[in-house]
Amino acid sequence: MGLGRGYSRQDCSLAHALEALGERWTLLVLRDCFYGVRQFKDFQAHLDIPRAVLADRLKTLTARGALERREHSNGVHYLLTEQGMELWPAIFSLAQWGERWLSPHGSRRVFSHADCDTDLEATGHCPTCGAFPGPGELLVREGPGADPTLRDDRVSAALRRGPHRLLTNPFPEPDYAGTAGV
């Protein structure tokens, strides 16, 4: 019996979530949205993803309601919706699993609670205040396992500059609201 194309006969919400989000590159596009990436050219440069594949992933994520496509004076921006924001715990958990099991030289990215200036535990818990802060309350910086020689695109360069607040535009250009970097 051949491998099926979908999970429509699975009575399982995980299977249906994989149907929506399980294609290659999709979670990395979402991760970059949390980093504040908004424009097609930046997704493409940071991910080294073929244009047609990226266009398909952005179209699918927009159609499914995880992203919103907005026209802006400097091009189209893709922004996380409420539905997309709810994917943060899953993306964070997968990244932490990768840090633990696939990063022999230490964490590649370190997330900290901005209000407490404290690094999060692998569970997303802030040991200082006891909260599980959302992505808008987090800073990300390179960890000891990062290899800065791997990437030279402007997203990678912006993330290397130091702590970066998630969901904020990593570039000094005005964004859709007319506020630089927000």
Side-chain angles (χ1 to χ4, degrees):
M1 186 160 139
L3 183 62
R5 287 227 176 266
Y7 301 107
S8 61
R9 296 188 43 82
Q10 294 289 319
D11 188 22
C12 171
S13 293
L14 176 60
H16 292 285
L18 285 173
E19 184 80 22
L21 303 171
E23 289 185 294
R24 185 172 183 193
W25 299 108
T26 300
L27 292 177
L28 295 178
V29 169
L30 289 165
R31 176 209 58 195
D32 278 9
C33 289
F34 283 104
Y35 287 165
V37 176
R38 297 174 180 179
Q39 293 187 295
F40 189 98
K41 66 181 180 182
D42 293 318
F43 288 112
Q44 187 179 24
H46 190 234
L47 297 172
D48 286 331
I49 184 174
R51 290 181 62 81
V53 173
L54 177 58
D56 180 68
R57 297 308 178 269
L58 291 170
K59 181 180 177 183
T60 299
L61 287 166
T62 301
R64 293 206 179 264
L67 296 181
E68 177 183 353
R69 184 182 191 273
R70 287 194 193 170
E71 297 290 334
H72 184 266
S73 62
N74 67 350
V76 173
H77 285 202
Y78 293 90
L79 303 166
L80 290 160
T81 63
E82 179 182 358
Q83 181 190 108
M85 293 285 287
E86 288 183 7
L87 291 166
W88 173 248
I91 289 172
F92 180 80
S93 291
L94 279 170
Q96 294 305 298
W97 182 89
E99 297 288 18
R100 178 173 180 184
W101 296 105
L102 305 172
S103 186
H105 303 294
S107 294
R108 292 176 175 97
R109 298 262 182 244
V110 177
F111 294 89
S112 59
H113 188 194
D115 292 349
C116 298
D117 194 29
T118 302
D119 293 347
L120 297 184
E121 297 172 349
T123 61
H125 177 256
C126 175
T128 298
C129 71
F132 287 87
E137 303 171 79
L138 298 179
L139 300 174
V140 62
R141 67 181 188 280
E142 282 191 336
D147 183 351
T149 65
L150 289 177
R151 311 275 328 138
D152 64 356
D153 61 275
R154 76 182 201 141
V155 174
S156 296
L159 292 172
R160 275 196 299 275
R161 280 197 289 269
H164 170 73
R165 187 178 288 266
L166 293 188
L167 304 177
T168 63
N169 189 341
F171 312 113
E173 62 201 16
D175 82 354
Y176 68 93
T179 307
V182 175

